[in-house]
Amino acid sequence: MTFLPVETQMETLREGLEEIYTEEALCDKLEASRREGRPLRVKQGFDPTAPDIHLGHTVGLCVLRRFQDLGHQVVVIVGDFTALVGDPSGRNKTRPRLTREEILSNAETYREQFSRVLDPERTEVRFNGDWFAEMDFAGILELSSRFTVARMMERDDFHKRYTEGRPISVHEFLYPLMQGYDSVEIRADVEIGATEQTFNLLAARHIQKEYGMEPQVALTFPVLTGLDGVQRMSKSLGNYVGVTDAPEDMYGKVMSIPDELMPEWYRMVSGLGAEAMREALEGLEAGGNPLERKDALAAAIVGRFHTPEAVTEARAHFDRVVRRKESPDEVPVAEVPANAEGVPIANLLKETGLAPSTSEARRLVKGGGVQVDDSKWTDPQSRIPAEPGTEIRLKVGKRRFLRVRFGGGSV
């Protein structure tokens, strides 16, 4: 197989990256790849902690796609076992643990979502449960012996939690070791990850050397800020745009971001070409109407994952429902079993899919973002009357509507 000159490849790969550990090592690997006619194996891992891949994930997926376009092999790790531990990166407390059933249910959707950015023909999808499910306790002890506690405590989030007296569970120490062992199993030449993953990526280099392998090159890219404009985009924080979101939801979410986020989102997730990107950023610097700039950003993002017709319909939906505060033309209907004692509002939001979790539903209600038949409800403990044959209309935020009929059947 013939590859482009190393410097030509490097010009493509440097785009949008934060750090390369190290650039010299990457050049050496690319040169060996050209000499041997062998594609590099380029890895990124995703833990299926929720069923949706979001825009933050696409930043890394686009880096992987550039490797594919240069002729290299992408290996996507679906972390069905690392998700049981929970990545502690950037966390000030231990993650809540998911059940294996929840994780596998979420993972079912990932392969199709990867294909929205990656070339499926050049994407190898592996589940790390393939090797960790077979690893016995002796193997865990062997892996754990390859890393010191002192090295682990160099990690910023662990060090901060320890000095502030917040608990660190022993199982959290396993996460970077498991991520590193993934690189051993699939013989990774390169691994990419967000900047918050730097410790894990470098730990993998150490683990590979411990198992007698040439260490991978680690590439980091910036973390995308979420819808709130404060914290990183995260499934568990609920401040994300899913790549499978309906066009009107995707458009409306983008229109809700703070104005100061627009340059970052244009650069990282708009999908615009170099010339269109330059014009967009120059337009932001020049001022003007921020709504027009945000509309163009929302249209670009919706257009990446949906059709041009969907962009037009999403824009019209936003104008009608949000700007003119009219009801949408079609409101979906959910059939929910009747209950003489009423249904807790937070449970109803979770069961009908208007909130990803009961805790998020409670937050939405407390924040005044939920209306029942045009009346705002702010007590998450309150119950909605659910007599047989009755119907209510739910509104969550500015854009989500649902009619609920109580009687029989299921949601």
Side-chain angles (χ1 to χ4, degrees):
M1 184 173 183
T2 303
F3 295 91
L4 293 172
V6 170
E7 187 51 43
T8 303
Q9 294 190 63
M10 289 296 295
E11 288 176 4
T12 299
L13 295 173
R14 287 189 189 101
E15 181 185 342
L17 292 180
E18 193 78 15
E19 295 286 349
I20 302 176
Y21 299 92
T22 64
E23 188 160 322
E24 180 182 0
L26 180 56
C27 288
D28 289 345
K29 285 183 179 288
L30 290 171
E31 186 57 54
S33 167
R34 289 190 78 227
R35 185 172 60 249
E36 299 166 10
R38 174 185 62 85
L40 297 180
R41 291 178 64 77
V42 185
K43 166 202 172 194
Q44 186 179 9
F46 297 83
D47 285 347
T49 53
D52 298 326
I53 290 174
H54 57 65
L55 289 184
H57 294 128
T58 67
V59 180
L61 290 172
C62 286
V63 178
L64 294 178
R65 181 58 191 249
R66 292 205 295 274
F67 272 102
Q68 286 185 326
D69 291 342
L70 292 169
H72 300 291
Q73 177 65 47
V74 162
V75 185
V76 174
I77 305 292
V78 178
D80 54 327
F81 255 62
T82 41
L84 289 170
V85 176
D87 185 6
S89 298
R91 293 277 165 170
N92 59 15
K93 61 182 179 180
T94 303
R95 278 181 179 269
R97 297 187 64 190
L98 300 176
T99 66
R100 183 151 176 77
E101 290 71 25
E102 290 173 321
I103 290 167
L104 292 177
S105 175
N106 293 338
E108 288 180 6
T109 67
Y110 274 35
R111 196 181 298 266
E112 186 277 329
Q113 293 179 68
F114 291 144
S115 69
R116 295 180 180 231
V117 179
L118 299 177
D119 179 353
E121 298 299 319
R122 289 179 287 174
T123 304
E124 181 181 329
V125 180
R126 302 285 300 276
F127 286 70
N128 60 18
D130 292 348
W131 44 89
F132 285 125
E134 303 299 321
M135 183 178 284
D136 59 15
F137 195 68
I140 296 172
L141 291 176
E142 172 65 21
L143 175 58
S144 301
S145 71
R146 306 286 184 162
F147 215 81
T148 68
V149 172
R151 179 79 180 272
M152 195 69 73
M153 292 307 295
E154 292 174 1
R155 182 177 173 139
D156 288 343
D157 39 24
F158 284 158
H159 179 75
K160 185 176 181 181
R161 283 162 62 181
Y162 179 75
T163 56
E164 293 178 355
R166 290 200 294 267
I168 303 171
S169 296
V170 173
H171 78 281
E172 294 181 86
F173 282 176
L174 293 176
Y175 192 94
L177 304 185
M178 294 170 73
Q179 183 171 331
Y181 191 76
D182 289 345
S183 294
V184 173
E185 280 287 334
I186 62 105
R187 305 194 70 81
D189 295 301
V190 178
E191 182 172 11
I192 73 167
T195 50
E196 63 182 19
Q197 287 283 314
T198 299
F199 182 92
N200 293 348
L201 302 180
L202 298 182
R205 287 168 52 85
H206 174 83
I207 296 296
Q208 283 181 306
K209 285 191 286 186
E210 286 287 311
Y211 281 86
M213 295 176 59
E214 180 180 309
Q216 66 187 20
V217 174
L219 277 58
T220 63
F221 51 85
V223 176
L224 182 69
T225 306
L227 294 169
D228 55 6
V230 178
Q231 302 188 81
R232 65 185 179 86
M233 184 171 287
S234 166
K235 293 169 288 189
S236 56
L237 295 174
N239 63 347
Y240 71 100
V241 180
V243 300
T244 59
D245 280 353
E248 61 271 18
D249 289 337
M250 187 177 287
Y251 182 94
K253 286 180 180 180
V254 178
M255 292 297 290
S256 74
I257 67 172
D259 292 350
E260 56 268 22
L261 271 192
M262 281 196 283
E264 176 184 334
W265 279 44
Y266 262 111
R267 286 192 300 269
M268 295 174 66
V269 294
S270 68
L272 295 176
E275 182 62 24
M277 178 80 69
R278 183 187 62 78
E279 292 179 1
L281 293 175
E282 287 178 354
L284 287 172
E285 291 178 3
N289 187 339
L291 280 178
E292 291 180 1
R293 304 296 181 187
K294 200 175 292 183
D295 168 77
L297 174 62
I301 291 173
V302 174
R304 285 186 67 187
F305 303 102
H306 298 284
T307 64
E309 293 77 17
V311 175
T312 301
E313 292 170 4
R315 181 181 280 129
H317 176 90
F318 183 85
D319 184 64
R320 183 174 63 254
V321 174
V322 178
R323 289 186 174 139
R324 300 204 303 266
K325 302 187 184 303
E326 298 175 4
S327 295
D329 292 336
E330 296 183 7
V331 177
V333 179
E335 297 282 348
V336 176
N339 188 327
E341 297 179 356
V343 179
I345 187 170
N347 291 5
L348 186 62
L349 295 178
K350 168 66 168 59
E351 291 170 6
T352 56
L354 289 172
S357 65
T358 306
S359 59
E360 174 65 10
R362 293 192 189 100
R363 186 192 67 78
L364 287 168
V365 175
K366 286 182 179 179
V370 177
Q371 291 184 23
V372 180
D373 291 334
D374 297 323
S375 297
K376 186 178 295 186
W377 287 43
T378 57
D379 180 5
Q381 304 300 323
S382 57
R383 288 176 172 266
I384 293 177
E387 295 294 330
T390 60
E391 180 177 306
I392 62 169
R393 192 181 77 152
L394 290 174
K395 179 182 178 183
V396 176
K398 295 180 179 179
R399 302 178 303 275
R400 287 177 290 169
F401 296 82
L402 183 70
R403 288 161 54 201
V404 178
R405 291 175 183 158
F406 297 104
S410 58
V411 176

